[in-house]
Amino acid sequence: MITYQFISTLADAKPNSHLIARSASSLLPESALVDEMRQQNTVADTRFGCAPFARITLLPDALWHDALTEGLLAALRPLLAVPASADIVLDVTDIGEVVLAQVLRFLFNQAHRLSDLKLKKTDDAVRLTCITALCLPEQRAKLETIFRQQQAIALGMVAARRLADIPSDRCTPQFMIEEAQKLCATYPALRCEVLNEKDIVEQGLGLLHAVGKGAACPPRLLAVHYNGVSDGPVRCYVGKGITFDTGGLWLKEGAGMYTMKYDMCGAANVLGLMLTVAELKLPVRIMGVLALAENAIGPEAMQPGTVATACNGTTVEINNTDAEGRLVLADAIAWASQRHPQARYIIDMATLTGAVVKALGYELSGLMTQDEPLREALTGAGKRSGDEVWSLPLDARLKKQTDSAIADLCNTPTNNAAISASAAWLLHHFCPPTIPWAHLDISGTALWRENGRSVASGRPIPLLVEHLVGDLSRVTAAPYPA
Ligand code: BES
Ligand code: MN
Ligand code: ZN
């Protein structure tokens, strides 16, 4: 984990640090070099003549105040790709809170790199180990809260991202269970409950089983329980954990298939969220449910036209074997709601449809819910955290989209319309109306570009932590929204 500390004068900076500051910062050393760098109206960067620093980068003030943050991150990314020093001194004297949170998450997330998987021979260059924040003494108390929270969020993101990046020949449902158990063992407040294939069949999770039974590695359900307090309502998070999605017998095209090891990002992010919550010791009860399966082809693979039964008794015609995510989620949501009928809410997250990327792009997660207070809370938390969501409609006008002649529901509409919302409409049948429920389609946001490649992003962990912290500050005994 990358550490942090605060200083109020550059005289206290560690020697050979990389100083990253606002061009207009009043705390910069008075020198001809700094003066000259300040004259430039763009990014000014030098590694020469800047002792006691190893490198000085001055970034124009506009970048620090741009609410979109992308400009500042775009300037920081190449600097961090090959760090000049293990220590960064970051000027935080004048930066908006939302921008700062995102910059800190970016920096703390440097704790994971693809090369850490040790699948490529690399001579590991210098790694960032400590962030020194340059601030005014009166800013410190507030900054400490922000740094602590963002460091814990990044800890969860890094664990989730690492798991997601591991290729699917290793990262199977059982591997996910074992990694989760190892990660949770660090925190006494976390407890893992595992359903193996036999349990899945016995407890009637027929949809999860249908999806996973075609693979050499059988499906699993993992419930991670966090008890930060002994009573109070339980908050539930459910994640799609397809460790590889071939599409099943409705086989995907080869070209688009290689990113499908990331089809377990929803589940990985639920686990990451649990780690963050445990790290922050939040006073709350949470259950995270990971629906784990590989959507493979083989003699046992589910066939188009199969009807399978969920653990709440609902039957589903499996028209398209590539619409597997909604099947495993449906069982997991129903299972969670049976375990905690009084849950304060259930939020599920999944790389569920390619269509949500067409609708919203790569910056926004799709939010589908019929609970207006929950929509409002999640939308606001997205804005505050910089991990934003956008609503797609979800109501009974979608009813035809899940009609089946042979079963209660059909897993795909035949008309290719409203694909993302139709999936959400199917899911809503598995959460009783008494529990507020929201669905996040993260197909566009679960990955980000890093050195020209798509890798796991850890989103929407920042959104969910912001939402949870906000929700805890309400009167928790009252029904949502209090
Ligand atoms: N995992 C995919 C969705 C996906 C596609 C995520 C591309 C990220 C990038 C999901 O299981 C799937 O295959 N969905 C289908 C749904 C369709 C059959 C209704 C899709 O999006 O094409
Ligand atoms: Mn699929
Ligand atoms: Zn999938």
Side-chain angles (χ1 to χ4, degrees), residues 401-439:
Q401 298 296 96
T402 53
D403 271 355
S404 165
I406 192 172
D408 297 330
L409 297 166
C410 181
N411 80 329
T412 47
T414 48
N415 61 6
N416 252 340
I419 291 179
S420 306
S422 299
W425 180 254
L426 181 126
L427 291 178
H428 107 279
H429 294 88
F430 297 85
C431 185
T434 46
I435 305 178
W437 161 76
H439 162 59

Side-chain angles (χ1 to χ4, degrees), residues 386-466:
D387 182 1
E388 284 196 55
V389 299
W390 205 271
S391 285
L392 293 175
L394 177 64
D395 69 28
R397 278 170 284 198
L398 293 160
K399 195 172 174 309
K400 281 197 194 62
Q401 298 296 96
T402 53
D403 271 355
S404 165
I406 192 172
D408 297 330
L409 297 166
C410 181
N411 80 329
T412 47
T414 48
N415 61 6
N416 252 340
I419 291 179
S420 306
S422 299
W425 180 254
L426 181 126
L427 291 178
H428 107 279
H429 294 88
F430 297 85
C431 185
T434 46
I435 305 178
W437 161 76
H439 162 59
L440 294 168
D441 194 330
I442 57 170
S443 295
T445 52
L447 302 184
W448 65 27
R449 303 288 289 178
E450 202 175 87
N451 307 320
R453 296 220 149 246
S454 289
V455 297
S457 69
R459 286 182 67 183
I461 295 174
L463 159 76
L464 295 172
V465 175
E466 180 68 36

Side-chain angles (χ1 to χ4, degrees), residues 135-262:
C135 66
L136 306 171
E138 61 269 27
Q139 294 177 310
R140 188 153 161 173
K142 177 136 204 220
L143 286 169
E144 259 166 17
T145 313
I146 297 175
F147 271 67
R148 177 171 173 267
Q149 184 165 323
Q150 296 308 323
Q151 185 193 42
I153 289 172
L155 173 130
M157 292 169 81
V158 162
R161 292 174 55 219
R162 181 184 150 274
L163 264 176
D165 284 337
I166 296 174
S168 50
D169 60 323
R170 265 177 69 204
C171 186
T172 61
Q174 178 59 23
F175 180 87
M176 290 276 290
I177 298 274
E178 287 161 19
E179 292 297 297
Q181 285 171 331
K182 275 188 232 163
L183 289 163
C184 292
T186 332
Y187 302 97
L190 290 176
R191 182 174 63 81
C192 289
E193 174 187 1
V194 180
L195 270 60
N196 61 24
E197 190 175 14
K198 188 165 153 275
D199 305 321
I200 288 170
V201 172
E202 277 175 13
Q203 296 193 25
L205 290 91
L207 304 184
L208 175 61
H209 191 249
V211 172
K213 72 189 168 73
C217 40
R220 297 279 187 265
L221 186 121
L222 172 66
V224 183
H225 305 275
Y226 171 77
N227 283 320
V229 284
S230 53
D231 57 7
V234 175
R235 290 160 170 86
C236 295
Y237 298 89
V238 176
K240 169 179 173 181
I242 299 297
T243 56
F244 194 81
D245 183 11
T246 63
L249 293 180
W250 194 299
L251 194 61
K252 284 183 185 297
E253 273 181 52
M257 208 194 280
Y258 80 105
T259 58
M260 285 300 136
K261 69 169 181 180
Y262 290 117

Side-chain angles (χ1 to χ4, degrees), residues 240 242 245 252 260 263 295 322 324-325 351-352:
K240 169 179 173 181
I242 299 297
D245 183 11
K252 284 183 185 297
M260 285 300 136
D263 214 16
N295 190 20
D322 198 10
E324 83 298 340
T351 47
L352 205 61

Side-chain angles (χ1 to χ4, degrees), residues 183-404:
L183 289 163
C184 292
T186 332
Y187 302 97
L190 290 176
R191 182 174 63 81
C192 289
E193 174 187 1
V194 180
L195 270 60
N196 61 24
E197 190 175 14
K198 188 165 153 275
D199 305 321
I200 288 170
V201 172
E202 277 175 13
Q203 296 193 25
L205 290 91
L207 304 184
L208 175 61
H209 191 249
V211 172
K213 72 189 168 73
C217 40
R220 297 279 187 265
L221 186 121
L222 172 66
V224 183
H225 305 275
Y226 171 77
N227 283 320
V229 284
S230 53
D231 57 7
V234 175
R235 290 160 170 86
C236 295
Y237 298 89
V238 176
K240 169 179 173 181
I242 299 297
T243 56
F244 194 81
D245 183 11
T246 63
L249 293 180
W250 194 299
L251 194 61
K252 284 183 185 297
E253 273 181 52
M257 208 194 280
Y258 80 105
T259 58
M260 285 300 136
K261 69 169 181 180
Y262 290 117
D263 214 16
M264 37 60 82
C265 278
N269 293 334
V270 167
L271 176 62
L273 173 69
M274 303 300 291
L275 296 170
T276 295
V277 168
E279 177 71 20
L280 288 172
K281 299 191 169 71
L282 293 182
V284 62
R285 290 172 72 202
I286 298 184
M287 178 172 76
V289 179
L290 285 67
L292 301 164
E294 183 186 318
N295 190 20
I297 51 174
E300 297 297 320
M302 58 180 170
Q303 296 150 338
T306 298
V307 176
T309 308
C311 66
N312 70 350
T314 304
T315 57
V316 181
E317 176 188 3
I318 301 169
N319 183 41
N320 184 329
T321 61
D322 198 10
E324 83 298 340
R326 64 200 73 185
L327 300 175
V328 302
L329 277 177
D331 252 340
I333 291 168
W335 188 87
S337 70
Q338 284 165 4
R339 175 61 71 92
H340 291 297
Q342 310 292 327
R344 181 159 170 87
Y345 55 68
I346 297 178
I347 298 173
D348 79 73
M349 63 214 74
T351 47
L352 205 61
T353 64
V356 83
V357 188
K358 297 250 186 307
L360 300 178
Y362 295 100
E363 304 298 327
L364 296 164
S365 302
L367 167 63
M368 284 146 268
T369 182
Q370 296 190 295
D371 191 280
E372 293 311 320
L374 188 52
R375 181 198 315 288
E376 208 177 295
L378 284 166
T379 305
K383 294 204 169 104
R384 289 194 304 280
S385 63
D387 182 1
E388 284 196 55
V389 299
W390 205 271
S391 285
L392 293 175
L394 177 64
D395 69 28
R397 278 170 284 198
L398 293 160
K399 195 172 174 309
K400 281 197 194 62
Q401 298 296 96
T402 53
D403 271 355
S404 165

